[in-house]
Structures are given as structure tokens and as C-alpha cells.
Amino acid sequence: MQEELETELGGSKSKRMYEIKRKLRRKKVPLVLDDVDDKDKLEKLAGGCDCFGSGSDLATLDEESLDDWECALEEYERTPPERIQDMHDLIQDMGREIVRKEAPKNPGQLSRLWYYVDVIEILTDDLGSDKIEGIMPDPPQRAVVDWSGFAFEKMEWLRILIVRNTSFSYEPKHLPNHLRVLDWEEYDGNKFVSYKKAWLAKQKVITIEYDDWDKSYAKLSSWLTHMQNHSPGSYFQVLHDDFIVGNTVSREHHQFHRFFWTFGQCKEAFKYCKSIIQVDGTHLYGKYRGTLLMATSQDGNGGVLPLAFAVVEGETLTTWSWFLAHLREHVTDKNGICLISDRHASIKSVVANEALGWQPPHGYHVYCVRHIASNFNRKFNNTKQKEMLKKLEKFRELSPAIATWIDRISKEKWTMDYDREGRRYGHMTTNLSECINKVVKDCRTIPITALVKSTYSRCRKYFVECGRQAQRQLNEGQVYCSKLVKELRKNQEQACSHIVRVYDIHSTRFEVEETFNPITQRDGQKWAVNLNGHYCQCRRYSALHYPCSHIIAACGYVNLNYYQYIDVVYTNEHILKAYSPQWWPLGNEAAIPPSNDAWTLIPNPTTIRAKGQPKSTRIRNEMNWVEPSEHRQKCSRCGAEGHNRRCCPMQSERESCSNH
């Protein structure tokens, strides 16, 4: 076999041996050696421990073992065929039962469904989930499923669908995109078009609705100039490169490089919002590849405010430097802005450049805590320990390696306790950017000019809705926004049970004690409060900029109005000012004059997307787990959450034991 492999590979003997080892190193190989009873022979034939992949089996045969094999084979040959089939069915049923025990009371959370009773129940009552990857019902008698036809909508990751001896009241109205095997004896699968036909039809619809992809680039500058004339304060910049045909620079065409835009209304609104900016990037999924960078903020009522956008070639040091420089120069010159992002090396390098204006006192860069948790999980592969990141001291005690790793990240960058000035307004993640990602997800598949038009149209609609809401609440006499009012009511209810002790004759310093909590079965804690210093030891006030229950209790003790401790950003008057800037209709697009440039802008031909079905737009990992109560990935080997069978720690332990 080795000689045949060497002949196929060609080249020198050393090169052929290297190629053989390289090909086998990552494969799981069963290796049986005959009549090998010496260690030197074993090493020469099998090589070292690194010659084969994880999980490989090595067996040596001597005369006794060969006799055992021959006896076993003779007995197998004498076994009746029906008994062999019974053994196969038994093993198959055992495997199915093991899978079923993963969620015996909730079959909708299983990865594979064989039992027709479970399948009928899930399809009839629409109890499916994105955990289901295979459905294969085969009831002994004809079964009928009375369903709506939409049950497969929840099964996003369904890959195998094999239906036998089953009738349905309606044909399916939806099949998942990830479906790879469809064997349905009573259903004509040709009613669902192929991926290629669907893609071509979609491109035709996009062309009809939003214009041709290449023409969209040509119209970009003229539309932006028209928009800027109707939206004072708006800014855009389109960078382009020379278009080279052969060895000649074209005078008629320039190719697109990158593009930044912001609306004057959003810039004006930011003056009345929280002094925070979150930045993030997301991929474009149209005909041409690219990355959409976004900057977002938040008003006092929790509304997400988009500030600026950019279409770039990727998240690199150059693109982030260019984007953040434009953000500081053309969007806001406000000092003390808290910039929240992930720990992307490019962003950290850009922020460190003082010339760009993101160093104190102009700006304060902090990290998203969920990205830090994700970084920890990738390094240490332990989801349960990752959950302890919320309690820093206990987290550091887990191991010296963990303590060293977390100490390298400045506490001021990611912890609430060390945010002394409350610059984050309680924002520990980049969820605002994720919200905008979700809003513009359908826009990431359309031509570039249509993408910009969509951001203009959606911002206009959003401003009108938020402005009307703030105006309505002001007319009703509501000074503060509805979200704050709800939080203050909760704090007032808690303050009624607090015990307040005054500590000075001016009644400014207090000790506020919480009473016994019947839910947690814990005695209440004591907190120091200084009304003159706008301080509470619990740090919720300094983080959120509105009174906690302890400050409300202290104010009630001295008959003081606690509204004076509320940040002005939470007032409806401030929110109304944020959304008051006017948006103007752009009129008939046919009347937009063409660009004055002597050349035509075209897309970069090197960024055209490759043929074939693209990969999933979302890679699921631990970042998708928001709450502990959510169903998480469970290992089929050890039963623990947070990893699968291939990444199981028990696998590495078994390998180390077998090596010894």
C-alpha cells in the first residue's frame, strides 16, 4: 500500500514519506500490525504518536490473536442473516434511545427525531426549534398530520427530512434553507425551485426594484450631492482608485474604494443624547463583498440613534482609522465621549493615536464585556467559568493562569465598579450596534445607492416616531421619559422598606439598610449615601445617572425632592429636541442632475462575490447565549453545556491517558 501511495505522489522518497505523514496526521486511522512483538519494529512501521490523528486505534496481532479473529469470523459466517439484521436493528434502536434521552420531556429540543409520535406532536402543535437537524418518521400504520404547514419555519438548521407512510392536511408553506436531503414520497419537491433559480430570480427583482448593481455605483455621487443639498449638515466622502485595463489607466472609469456618510439630523440629535458611541462592523452580502461600519448612540428613553455609516473593504487598521477620524471630525467634537467597542486590535491601535481625538479628556475607550467573555472562552474553553466573570474576585481565584489573563485587561476598560464617572451609562456591551445590524440586515443585500437611500428613509421614519412620542408625553404633563418613570417606580417601592440613619447635623450623610429579602433569604446590606456629593456606595446612581432606591430613601427621610438627582438626558424635553430636526423629501429622482465628474464610478471587480451558495450569515457561538435559562449546546459525551463532542475536555483526557 505504501508503494502504491508513493507511486501516485511522485517525487523523492523523503518528500513522498512527508506527504504520506501529512495526509494521515489529521485523520482517525485504525491500524492493525501482524506479527509485531518488538518495540523497534513497532516504531519503524507505525512511526511516532504524531503520525496519526486523534482517536486512531493501534492493534498488533500475534498467533493467538489471529486464532481468535478466525474463530470470530467463522462464528459470524454461521450466524443466520435474520439474526444479523436483528442485531443491527437493536443497535440502531439503542442509538435512537440515547438521543431521545437528551430531552425526554421536550422532543422539540432534540437534534434528530425518529419516533413518529414525537414528530406528529411537534408538527401538529408547532413545537419545533432550531436544534432539530433531522426528521425521519416511519409509522407502522398510515398516520395523518393535521397542521398549518408552517411548522418548519422554526427549524432553521433542519438538514435531513425523510417522510414515510404519513399524510398531511396541507402542503408545507416553508422549507429551511439548510435542508440538504428531502425524501418525501407524497410530496412533489419540484414545487420548490433550486437555489440557483431562486438566486437568479432574486437578482432580477433587485435590479427591477433598486437598479443594476454597476449603475448603482455610477449614481452614488449624484444622489449623495442631491441629498446633501436637502439635508444641511450632512457629510459624505467617496474614495476611489484608478481603474487599470491591461497596463493602461482608464480615463473613463474610476473604481470604488470606500465610502463614509452621516446625516445632519443625526449629528444634531447626538447633542441631546447620552455621551456614548458604540462602533461595530458587519458584512455585506450583495453581489460585491464589503463591510459596513456603524456608529450608534442612545437617547434617554433607550432609543437607538444611528450616527454614521461607512462601506469599506474590511475591518483593518486603515479602515478603522479612517472611520474614527471622520467620526471625530465630521460628526461630533464633544469631549468626554465614551467609545465602546470590542477588543479588536485595529480599534485599540487607532484609539491610541492621540491625533485622532479619542484619548482623554476628549474620549474614553472601553470594552464590551461580552466580547471579553468570548475571548476568555476561546482561550480556556470553559463556559461555566466564563459565567463567573461577573464576580471579578471569585473569577481571579479560579486559577493563576486566569488571574494573569484578566489582570492584563485594565479594570477601567470593562468593569462597572471602576467606571467612577459613570461614562458608560450602564452600557456594558455593544448591543446598540447589534440592534442596528438587525434593522439593516435586509439592506445588506441590495446595491450601494439603495443601501444609502434605505438608511435615509429609515432614519427619517424613526425620528418622526420618537419625536411624536416625546411630544405626546410632554402634552400629558410627563416631564421624564416613560422608561425612566418605570425604573423610578421600582426604586420607590424598594425604598419604602429601607431603614435610614442620618450621620451629620446637616442631614447629608446617611446609612441606608435594606431589609430582609424573603426571596433570596438574605439579610439586607448597608450602603453609605452622600446627597451633597451625589454618591451612593452601591454605584448604581453614578453608573445610570438617576436615583437608586437608597438615594430615594435618604431624600424621603429629609423631605427632599429626589428629581434633582436625575440627569437632564432623561427628560422628554431633551428627547424632543433630539428628534426635532427636520427631514426633507428628496422629490423625483429622475430630476436629480448627473454627476459633474468626467469619469464614471464602477465597483472594484476584485470584490465580486464567488459563485455558489454562500455560508450562513450568522456563526453561532457562546456570544448568542444571553440568559442562563436559554437552551445551550450540550455535549453528547459528558452531558455538560458549552461545547460539543469534538471539543470535549474528556476526549483530551482519554487521549493523554492512552498515550501514557
Side-chain angles (χ1 to χ4, degrees):
M1 183 180 70
Q2 180 174 324
E3 290 177 356
E4 291 178 3
L5 283 172
E6 290 178 354
T7 303
E8 290 179 6
L9 293 170
S12 64
K13 184 174 182 180
S14 58
K15 182 179 179 181
R16 295 196 301 265
M17 291 300 297
Y18 170 78
E19 285 296 321
I20 292 173
K21 288 184 177 181
R22 187 180 67 82
K23 290 178 179 295
L24 295 178
R25 189 171 294 158
R26 296 185 179 181
K27 295 184 179 295
K28 186 175 180 180
V29 179
L31 183 64
V32 181
L33 301 177
D34 184 11
D35 197 19
V36 177
D37 55 0
D38 184 74
K39 184 179 179 182
D40 293 335
K41 292 181 181 179
L42 178 63
E43 291 180 352
K44 288 179 180 179
L45 288 171
C49 298
D50 59 342
C51 290
F52 306 104
S54 173
S56 297
D57 293 324
L58 175 64
T60 60
L61 299 178
D62 52 20
E63 292 183 0
E64 294 182 2
S65 58
L66 283 173
D67 293 339
D68 295 338
W69 274 98
E70 291 175 358
C71 293
L73 289 172
E74 290 176 1
E75 184 176 350
Y76 179 79
E77 291 175 354
R78 292 194 298 269
T79 304
E82 60 272 10
R83 186 182 171 191
I84 295 177
Q85 183 63 38
D86 292 342
M87 292 171 62
H88 175 269
D89 294 341
L90 179 61
I91 294 173
Q92 189 179 63
D93 291 341
M94 288 173 60
R96 292 177 176 180
E97 189 62 29
I98 290 172
V99 174
R100 198 167 188 249
K101 285 183 178 179
E102 292 179 1
K105 297 182 180 180
N106 189 4
Q109 297 296 328
L110 295 174
S111 60
R112 293 165 182 81
L113 295 170
W114 289 282
Y115 293 97
Y116 69 94
V117 176
D118 293 341
V119 174
I120 293 175
E121 179 184 358
I122 289 171
L123 296 180
T124 303
D125 299 334
D126 195 11
L127 301 176
S129 71
D130 59 357
K131 306 297 183 297
I132 300 176
E133 298 180 10
I135 295 180
M136 291 153 278
D138 188 6
Q141 297 179 350
R142 195 74 180 172
V144 179
V145 177
D146 185 11
W147 70 328
S148 62
F150 293 96
F152 294 125
E153 282 188 337
K154 295 181 180 179
M155 306 178 196
E156 179 184 356
W157 294 94
L158 183 66
R159 300 176 185 275
I160 301 174
L161 179 59
I162 301 174
V163 182
R164 296 279 188 271
N165 203 22
T166 306
S167 301
F168 291 79
S169 56
Y170 297 98
E171 290 185 348
K173 304 298 192 299
H174 172 86
L175 287 178
N177 290 332
H178 292 87
L179 193 64
R180 294 295 178 267
V181 177
L182 176 61
D183 186 358
W184 197 332
E185 56 185 12
E186 289 192 357
Y187 176 67
D188 183 10
N190 293 326
K191 293 182 179 180
F192 281 85
V193 298
S194 66
Y195 177 85
K196 183 178 180 180
K197 289 182 179 179
W199 186 86
L200 292 173
K202 180 180 178 181
Q203 299 311 306
K204 289 183 179 180
V205 172
I206 290 176
T207 302
I208 295 171
E209 182 72 20
Y210 302 110
D211 210 344
D212 181 73
W213 283 90
D214 295 353
K215 291 180 181 179
S216 182
Y217 283 88
K219 295 180 179 179
L220 180 61
S221 295
S222 58
W223 189 91
L224 287 169
T225 303
H226 180 72
M227 179 273 297
Q228 194 176 44
N229 294 334
H230 288 75
S231 180
S234 298
Y235 172 82
F236 72 90
Q237 184 184 39
V238 180
L239 296 185
H240 47 80
D241 299 325
D242 292 333
F243 180 61
I244 301 175
V245 181
N247 295 323
T248 307
V249 176
S250 174
R251 294 182 179 180
E252 299 177 354
H253 300 94
H254 284 195
Q255 70 181 25
F256 176 84
H257 183 43
R258 63 173 73 120
F259 161 46
F260 175 93
W261 77 99
T262 181
F263 303 121
Q265 297 87 339
C266 297
K267 292 161 57 176
E268 185 66 22
F270 182 60
K271 298 177 181 178
Y272 305 97
C273 293
K274 300 174 183 177
S275 294
I276 61 170
I277 294 179
Q278 297 185 10
V279 293
D280 198 7
T282 183
H283 294 291
L284 296 178
Y285 292 100
K287 182 178 179 180
Y288 296 95
R289 299 189 308 273
T291 300
L292 178 66
L293 303 182
M294 293 171 290
T296 55
S297 186
Q298 189 184 54
D299 63 38
N301 198 34
V304 182
L305 175 69
L307 290 177
F309 307 87
V311 174
V312 297
E313 59 272 25
E315 293 190 59
T316 64
L317 177 62
T318 305
T319 55
W320 274 117
S321 178
W322 182 75
F323 179 72
L324 291 176
H326 277 66
L327 193 63
R328 175 52 85 182
E329 182 179 357
H330 300 288
V331 176
T332 179
D333 58 357
K334 186 189 295 186
N335 285 335
I337 293 177
C338 180
L339 181 68
I340 307 175
S341 73
D342 57 22
R343 296 177 63 229
H344 199 287
S346 299
I347 299 178
K348 292 195 292 183
S349 299
V350 171
V351 172
N353 186 353
E354 295 184 3
L356 297 180
W358 293 107
Q359 285 291 304
H362 309 294
Y364 297 85
H365 185 211
V366 296
Y367 302 141
C368 169
V369 68
R370 289 184 66 192
H371 282 90
I372 291 179
S374 180
N375 293 341
F376 168 81
N377 199 46
R378 280 201 301 269
K379 182 173 181 62
F380 295 97
N381 194 26
N382 194 315
T383 309
K384 292 184 178 180
Q385 289 182 350
K386 185 194 75 169
E387 299 293 340
M388 296 183 66
L389 189 62
K390 300 173 184 177
K391 299 178 181 179
L392 180 57
E393 294 305 321
K394 291 185 178 179
F395 181 76
R396 293 183 74 259
E397 295 173 359
L398 292 174
S399 74
I402 291 176
T404 303
W405 180 85
I406 198 63
D407 287 343
R408 291 175 181 170
I409 308 173
S410 174
K411 298 181 181 65
E412 288 77 9
K413 295 283 189 180
W414 67 279
T415 61
M416 183 78 78
D417 285 345
Y418 286 84
D419 183 22
R420 308 294 186 187
E421 304 298 327
R423 294 188 176 92
R424 303 179 73 125
Y425 277 84
H427 290 263
M428 302 304 296
T429 65
T430 54
N431 281 351
L432 300 182
S433 297
E434 295 296 334
C435 291
I436 295 295
N437 282 349
K438 189 173 182 179
V439 171
V440 301
K441 183 176 182 179
D442 57 332
C443 302
R444 291 183 282 160
T445 59
I446 60 179
I448 189 166
T449 302
L451 168 63
V452 184
K453 291 179 183 178
S454 179
T455 58
Y456 184 89
S457 175
R458 295 185 185 206
C459 285
R460 183 268 314 163
K461 182 179 179 181
Y462 182 71
F463 268 60
V464 172
E465 292 175 352
C466 293
R468 285 178 176 175
Q469 181 183 7
Q471 183 68 68
R472 183 170 59 252
Q473 292 181 4
L474 273 175
N475 294 340
E476 295 173 354
Q478 190 171 319
V479 178
Y480 298 99
C481 61
S482 56
K483 187 173 182 179
L484 178 73
V485 171
K486 186 183 297 184
E487 294 298 323
L488 289 178
R489 285 175 182 168
K490 294 180 182 178
N491 291 345
Q492 281 179 313
E493 292 176 1
Q494 296 175 4
C496 293
S497 61
H498 293 347
I499 301 172
V500 182
R501 302 180 184 91
V502 64
Y503 270 69
D504 67 335
I505 60 174
H506 303 292
S507 298
T508 60
R509 294 187 179 89
F510 304 87
E511 181 185 74
V512 180
E513 182 180 356
E514 299 171 350
T515 56
F516 174 78
N517 191 328
I519 299 176
T520 61
Q521 296 294 309
R522 283 202 230 168
D523 291 330
Q525 294 180 319
K526 298 178 181 179
W527 306 100
V529 174
N530 185 345
L531 294 181
N532 282 352
H534 289 236
Y535 169 78
C536 179
Q537 192 179 7
C538 74
R539 301 193 185 281
R540 282 193 286 272
Y541 169 70
S542 60
L544 303 174
H545 300 274
Y546 61 79
C548 59
S549 62
H550 313 115
I551 286 183
I552 293 177
C555 289
Y557 186 84
V558 294
N559 295 323
L560 191 66
N561 189 348
Y562 64 82
Y563 288 110
Q564 61 183 294
Y565 297 97
I566 301 176
D567 194 320
V568 68
V569 75
Y570 294 107
T571 62
N572 278 318
E573 182 181 359
H574 232 59
I575 297 173
L576 182 61
K577 288 180 179 178
Y579 296 106
S580 291
Q582 299 297 309
W583 295 79
W584 299 95
L586 301 181
N588 188 355
E589 293 187 9
I592 298 177
S595 174
N596 295 326
D597 297 326
W599 41 264
T600 302
L601 185 68
I602 62 173
N604 187 342
T606 62
T607 63
I608 193 168
R609 194 172 300 280
K611 294 182 179 180
Q613 186 172 1
K615 295 181 180 179
S616 172
T617 59
R618 185 149 185 96
I619 301 173
R620 299 177 64 86
N621 59 11
E622 73 282 348
M623 290 285 291
N624 300 96
W625 304 333
V626 181
E627 299 293 338
S629 58
E630 288 191 11
H631 180 82
R632 300 185 175 182
Q633 183 185 29
K634 184 177 288 187
C635 175
S636 60
R637 183 186 297 277
C638 65
E641 293 180 345
H643 62 269
N644 56 26
R645 184 183 181 89
R646 289 179 295 176
C647 305
C648 182
M650 290 182 62
Q651 174 70 12
S652 57
E653 292 177 5
R654 290 184 179 181
E655 291 174 4
S656 60
C657 292
S658 62
N659 291 335
H660 291 294

